[in-house]
């Protein structure tokens, strides 16, 4: 079981409290699709993803970015049992969506860039350390139902 210090919990809650989901969610998913273009293959039903400009102005991408951030919010609210919290979501990504689980980490990296850009000097190494730990627990929970 993952052990969290009070300080780590506070840092994670604080990051989420400073995020505007409607802004950070779309930015993280847009970045993922542009920086790692092979991730576009899962979103063919979203219409035009032809280039960066198309991705940035695609309303389905933006809406789904918000959904993903709300998904992460569930992990933040259940830090003591992220595995269980994500059991169904892991099955969905594995068995129905067939998302290569390596992509979870890539989306996490893009979200980290978005957070760092937003928080700037406030995103200290200490806070980043807690954040990276949180994201690696999230990624490992999402990978769990893959076999
Ligand atoms: Ni993901 C659907 C959360 C990473 C591709 N995804 C969801 C839903 C949530 C979610 C919540 C909606 C589920 C439902 O409808 O019941 N996704 C997350 C989280 C992460 C993540 C928390 C990681 C941090 N998803 C990824 C990645 C990809 C991905 C990395 C592909 C590169 N997800 C999808 C696709 C769907 C999806 C595709 C279905 C979208 C749709 O609406 O058709």
């Amino acid at each position: 079981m993952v052990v969290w210090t009070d300080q780590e919990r506070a840092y994670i809650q604080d990051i989420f409290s400073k995020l505007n989901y409607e802004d950070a969610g779309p930015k993280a998913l847009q970045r993922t699709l542009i920086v790692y273009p092979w991730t576009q293959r899962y979103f063919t039903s979203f219409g035009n993803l032809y280039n960066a400009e198309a991705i940035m102005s695609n309303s389905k991408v933006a809406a789904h970015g918000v959904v993903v951030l709300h998904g992460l919010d569930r992990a933040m609210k259940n830090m003591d049992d992220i595995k269980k919290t994500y059991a169904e979501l892991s099955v969905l990504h594995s068995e129905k969506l067939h998302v290569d689980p390596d992509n979870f980490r890539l989306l996490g990296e893009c979200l980290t860039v978005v957070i760092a850009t937003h928080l700037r000097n406030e995103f200290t190494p200490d806070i980043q350390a807690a954040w990276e730990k949180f994201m690696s627990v999230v990624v490992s929970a999402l990978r769990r139902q893959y076999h």
Side-chain angles (χ1 to χ4, degrees), residues 51-104:
N51 54 25
E53 205 188 343
I55 290 168
M56 298 298 280
S57 58
N58 184 310
S59 59
K60 289 187 176 161
V61 169
H64 190 62
V66 178
V67 169
V68 169
L69 213 52
H70 280 283
L72 280 172
D73 173 279
R74 287 178 53 211
M76 180 267 289
K77 289 181 176 142
N78 296 281
M79 282 177 69
D80 289 319
D81 206 352
I82 295 181
K83 255 188 242 167
K84 194 164 139 223
T85 306
Y86 278 165
E88 272 178 35
L89 210 49
S90 178
V91 173
L92 178 82
H93 283 82
S94 162
E95 290 173 19
K96 186 160 171 232
L97 302 170
H98 307 292
V99 171
D100 180 333
D102 287 350
N103 294 317
F104 297 137

Side-chain angles (χ1 to χ4, degrees), residues 8-72:
E8 285 169 335
R9 288 176 198 275
Y11 283 155
I12 300 301
Q13 314 271 337
D14 196 48
I15 290 174
F16 277 94
S17 76
K18 287 178 176 149
L19 286 184
N20 173 353
Y21 292 14
E22 275 69 29
D23 180 58
K27 280 182 178 161
L29 186 57
Q30 287 156 356
R31 243 176 217 275
T32 307
L33 295 170
I34 295 165
V35 179
Y36 308 111
W38 57 89
T39 57
Q40 292 169 20
R41 67 193 296 262
Y42 304 103
F43 299 97
T44 47
S45 68
F46 283 18
N48 186 2
L49 304 174
Y50 185 67
N51 54 25
E53 205 188 343
I55 290 168
M56 298 298 280
S57 58
N58 184 310
S59 59
K60 289 187 176 161
V61 169
H64 190 62
V66 178
V67 169
V68 169
L69 213 52
H70 280 283
L72 280 172

